[in-house]
Amino acid sequence: MKDLKINTAIQISKPVDVVYEAIIDPKKMSNYFISEGSGRMEEGKTLKWKFPEFPEEAEVWVVEVTPLEYVSFQWEGAKGKKLLVEITLLPMPGDNTLVKVTEEGMPANEAGIKWLAQNTEGWANFLASLKAYLEYGINLRKGAFDFMKEAAGK
């Protein structure tokens, strides 16, 4: 049986170079995704990402970067599982960019189905937040997940 795979996509009304920088630069990412990052996404680097709603840091291993086209990394996308995330940027007419995100590596079992639901929601939120930040200067994530802190007893 094949591993499960998340597929998400959104079109953003910005040129590919603007979208690419927003994805690889932690200062820009902190406006829609992470609270801070240890460096730019560059091939072979190991980074640390902090999220505003979680106390722990996420370790990110950057696998491949093709400027203005593609970024892939591995991270612990599920407890104890190193998963592959791929972000592909496709220029579209009128200075628009299609952003595709995939994540894969979980088996087709109960834990995998739970992961599929949670992380599909997460990547859809990532894309919507990226679009809101780049097109309107809004940080959709700010305060959006405070309920998670309360549920964890923070």
Side-chain angles (χ1 to χ4, degrees), residues 75-96:
W75 68 346
E76 191 175 327
K79 188 146 181 76
K81 292 286 283 183
K82 204 174 193 180
L83 303 176
L84 178 67
V85 176
E86 296 177 287
I87 303 173
T88 305
L89 306 175
L90 299 167
M92 302 296 285
D95 265 346
N96 293 296

